Amino acid sequence: MSAAGIDPVIHVPARLQIVATLAALPEGDALSFTRLQNMIGLTPGNLITHLRKLEDVDYVTIEKTGSGPASRTAVALTHRGHAALDLYTETLRGLLNGL
Amino acid sequence: MSDISGTGNAANEADEGRLDPREAARLLAQTRWRAQRGLDFRSPWLSLLAAAAMLVGFGAIWLSVRGQHPYEGPTPVGLVGLYAAVLVRIASVIYAHRRATEGVTGRSVQRRQAEGAALAVALIVVYVVMAALAHAGASDGVVYGVYVSSATLIVLGTFGAARAAAREDWPSLGLSTAVMLVASGSAFAGPRGVWLSDGVGLCVVLLGYGTLQAWRRHASGSDA
């Protein structure tokens, strides 16, 4: 089966889980790094690496507030990230219907 | 607590592995289902608890007024039963809500605070009008029976319906509409019967809503 046309940034298990989880939030909301990690079950190192890859293509925003032990990191899906997930879902549907 | 300090760049190479489209569709559906379930505070168990609380709370008032001739209004013991049931309902919702929205920040938090303030004002207005009715000489049966129970539930139902419609949450819109119908229909049962009718009606409506929630969870879980 060909996976041509599928967004290679999202088409990775960990990043697909990150994007799909963030897409479940109401528009304009963000999720803390810790809660996202708990929901997906990745190690902190894995999660931050995948998040940086998603941030590089402007699919997520990562906002850190405070410093030291009191710091908080909030992650949110951008409009571009939402659109990419919609397109990815449509492409997958097309591929599966063509089987 | 620092969220991401000291995590390094240790991405597991296995996580970079590409997916078969069928496997990707399954993972996407499963992740969406888990995320929606994890972020939503509502559950069949919460609805079941609400149904029991409404039956106990309104039932306590009905037991306290059913033998009154003429009608005088709920007794302190009846009110304690109602307030205890309402407190259980509020505490269970707050607990479930805090658990579901832990780590969530943004516009929806501010929107919920504004909605809560608007609802509080609406409920205060119900009791101000109740005082005005008593001041104007309305009977105890109207003021402390039909009006206070029906008006409170109609305000809650209207608020819930408007909120559900704005979110296109059709099951919640159905629940809120049913609450308004129970409240308006129960008003015809008179000052004593209104409490029993509200208690039984809300219990049935909430049990139906809980069953629908359980069925939808099961159906979407099977799809995922």
Side-chain angles (χ1 to χ4, degrees):
Chain A
M1 190 188 321
S2 168
I6 281 188
D7 187 338
V9 180
I10 298 181
H11 196 55
V12 171
R15 292 201 284 273
L16 180 56
Q17 285 180 287
I18 292 169
V19 172
T21 300
L22 293 175
L25 288 169
E27 180 105 20
D29 277 7
L31 198 59
S32 73
F33 183 90
T34 310
R35 179 82 195 274
L36 181 61
Q37 191 201 332
N38 289 341
M39 289 178 80
I40 297 175
L42 291 175
T43 63
N46 255 337
L47 181 55
I48 192 62
T49 302
H50 287 297
L51 282 175
R52 281 183 183 141
K53 286 183 180 173
L54 289 166
E55 191 184 30
D56 286 345
V57 290
D58 197 26
Y59 286 178
V60 300
T61 57
I62 305 172
E63 200 171 312
K64 193 169 180 179
T65 53
S67 59
S71 68
R72 292 276 187 280
T73 303
V75 185
L77 200 61
T78 61
H79 286 297
R80 195 179 153 97
H82 272 288
L85 181 62
D86 289 345
L87 182 62
Y88 178 82
T89 307
E90 280 304 309
T91 310
L92 261 191
R93 197 169 288 143
L95 277 172
L96 293 173
N97 287 341
L99 287 178
Chain B
M1 188 184 80
S2 177
D3 275 338
I4 59 169
S5 58
T7 54
N9 284 333
N12 188 337
E13 287 300 318
D15 286 336
E16 284 289 340
R18 295 299 191 265
L19 286 160
D20 172 71
R22 196 178 283 121
E23 199 186 333
R26 188 190 54 77
L27 182 63
L28 180 60
Q30 199 174 57
T31 307
R32 275 185 172 149
W33 181 74
R34 280 189 188 150
Q36 281 162 358
R37 191 171 165 169
L39 294 166
D40 189 358
F41 76 96
R42 294 165 299 183
S43 72
W45 285 110
L46 204 58
S47 297
L48 184 65
L49 189 63
M54 292 304 108
L55 192 62
V56 168
F58 282 94
I61 297 285
W62 177 70
L63 287 173
S64 78
V65 300
R66 67 177 174 157
Q68 291 180 1
H69 298 282
Y71 186 86
E72 293 167 352
T75 63
V77 175
L79 286 173
V80 166
L82 177 66
Y83 291 143
V86 169
L87 278 178
V88 166
R89 168 66 178 155
I90 291 172
S92 62
V93 168
I94 288 174
Y95 173 76
H97 196 272
R98 281 198 178 153
R99 243 185 106 183
T101 59
E102 187 189 347
V104 178
T105 50
R107 283 211 301 266
S108 72
V109 177
Q110 292 149 5
R111 193 168 54 226
R112 275 197 302 272
Q113 287 169 348
E115 287 171 347
L119 179 62
V121 171
L123 289 173
I124 289 168
V125 166
V126 167
Y127 294 103
V128 169
V129 174
M130 185 177 87
L133 283 172
H135 181 71
S139 70
D140 287 348
V142 169
V143 179
Y144 305 114
V146 174
Y147 170 77
V148 71
S149 58
S150 301
T152 304
L153 291 177
I154 288 170
V155 164
L156 289 171
T158 307
F159 173 79
R163 192 172 181 272
R167 288 167 171 74
E168 298 183 18
D169 180 356
W170 310 128
S172 294
L173 179 62
L175 170 71
S176 301
T177 306
V179 168
M180 287 189 278
L181 291 175
V182 165
S184 55
S186 296
F188 289 97
R192 293 173 202 83
V194 69
W195 299 104
L196 180 65
S197 181
D198 278 342
V200 173
L202 290 177
C203 183
V204 169
V205 164
L206 286 162
L207 284 177
Y209 181 67
T211 305
L212 178 66
Q213 283 177 309
W215 176 77
R216 281 167 62 99
R217 277 192 173 199
H218 179 73
S220 57
S222 302
D223 291 345

